[in-house]
Amino acid sequence: MLFDLRKTQAGQLLQQLKHLFRGARGVEKFLRAIQPDLIMLPEDNVETLSTIFVAKGRRLNIPSMVIPFTIPNPLEPARYYYDNPMYQARGAVARRLVHRHPKWRFNHEGRDLLRQPAIKASCQEFLGLSSPAPWVLNRGSAVSIALDSDAQRDLYIKLGFPVEQLKVIGDLNGAMFHHVRSHKQRFVEEICSKYGWQSDRPLILCGFPPISIKARIQADLNFPTMMHSSRPGWRASECSPHGRIP
């Protein structure tokens, strides 16, 4: 029987190193080719190439800016990966990782979890493609993080972000909402006229976010799908909170 090195921990470690090294080299080659003045990202996430872009850009003196579209919350990945054995802090590699880099461990409901599989996280540390706080989205080395309000800034500060990294620039959508709110009656009349609705009846707008909190907690949802929660004739429905809400 032939010995398959790829199935051993050493083999998997080498495969991950090779994969990350190729990705990092590709990103660096791309940045050298286009020579951007600024790297703009929607998030800095250790699961994606975004962290590599920030790290490589920094080494090439190319600043990065994160314009986040969501609220960082370690509970979201913890809930998502809770039952995935690859993300549990078990085994020799995981113990070594947590001993040398405790930041990768997060205890959720009595279970020690890792933000990335132990072998991949170890490789990220070895190649300098990690994060000061892997469990906190956007907690990387971007020059600045553009935020929409002082309230959001306060939240980021509570999560351990350096104050000098946070820049409150306002929110385009917020300005639009303010404009609509300031002219509410006119917009209501225009919408009702367009669709033939009665303008004297209450108008309720519902927005359903994508279900990104699968795995174990999906069984705890009140309804199997969004369509089930909005059947005709139902006046109200209960919804479990989104995973990014603290």
Side-chain angles (χ1 to χ4, degrees):
M1 180 181 294
L2 295 177
F3 178 71
D4 191 349
L5 179 63
R6 292 174 298 179
K7 294 183 179 180
T8 66
Q9 285 191 342
Q12 293 173 9
L13 184 65
L14 290 174
Q15 288 292 321
Q16 280 291 344
L17 274 173
K18 183 179 179 181
H19 177 74
L20 284 172
F21 181 76
R22 282 182 174 177
R25 186 172 60 179
V27 168
E28 182 173 349
K29 183 178 180 180
F30 173 74
L31 291 176
R32 288 185 182 278
I34 66 172
Q35 297 183 354
D37 295 318
L38 176 68
I39 300 172
M40 300 179 67
L41 298 165
E43 66 178 17
D44 184 357
N45 189 333
V46 292
E47 287 190 83
T48 68
L49 283 175
S50 57
T51 297
I52 297 179
F53 267 96
V54 173
K56 287 297 181 180
R58 186 176 184 181
R59 294 173 189 175
L60 296 173
N61 293 319
I62 303 172
S64 299
M65 172 183 285
V66 176
I67 305 178
F69 62 93
T70 187
I71 302 171
N73 183 7
L75 288 179
E76 182 180 15
R79 290 170 175 172
Y80 188 90
Y81 292 119
Y82 187 83
D83 285 325
N84 190 329
M86 294 291 292
Y87 290 80
Q88 295 174 12
R90 298 177 179 176
V93 178
R95 288 194 296 270
R96 179 178 175 82
L97 172 69
V98 171
H99 176 73
R100 300 188 64 178
H101 307 284
K103 63 185 180 181
W104 285 96
R105 185 185 69 85
F106 184 81
N107 186 277
H108 179 57
E109 296 184 357
R111 179 173 294 175
D112 284 340
L113 303 171
L114 300 175
R115 186 62 184 87
Q116 287 281 268
I119 290 178
K120 183 176 181 180
S122 299
C123 293
Q124 287 179 277
E125 289 294 338
F126 179 76
L127 295 175
L129 303 174
S130 180
S131 163
W135 282 95
V136 181
L137 189 70
N138 302 329
R139 181 65 176 89
S141 56
V143 171
S144 62
I145 301 175
L147 304 175
D148 59 21
S149 64
D150 290 334
Q152 192 178 32
R153 178 177 177 271
D154 292 342
L155 176 61
Y156 270 70
I157 292 175
K158 289 180 180 179
L159 288 169
F161 285 79
V163 175
E164 60 274 12
Q165 191 180 27
L166 308 176
K167 311 295 181 183
V168 178
I169 64 171
D171 176 29
L172 180 61
N173 291 325
M176 179 186 67
F177 292 151
H178 176 73
H179 175 70
V180 172
R181 184 178 177 85
S182 300
H183 303 83
K184 176 182 175 181
Q185 189 58 38
R186 178 168 63 84
F187 279 104
V188 169
E189 292 175 356
E190 289 178 357
I191 292 174
C192 290
S193 175
K194 180 178 180 179
Y195 294 102
W197 297 337
Q198 299 180 37
S199 60
D200 60 338
R201 299 292 299 276
L203 179 62
I204 301 176
L205 176 64
C206 297
F208 293 117
I211 299 179
S212 59
I213 47 173
K214 300 179 181 178
R216 180 178 64 94
I217 65 168
Q218 195 163 18
D220 299 331
L221 298 178
N222 301 91
F223 305 102
T225 67
M226 292 297 185
M227 293 302 296
H228 284 80
S229 68
S230 56
R231 288 177 178 173
W234 287 18
R235 298 180 62 87
S237 61
E238 297 180 50
C239 296
S240 296
H242 190 269
R244 293 195 191 275
I245 300 176

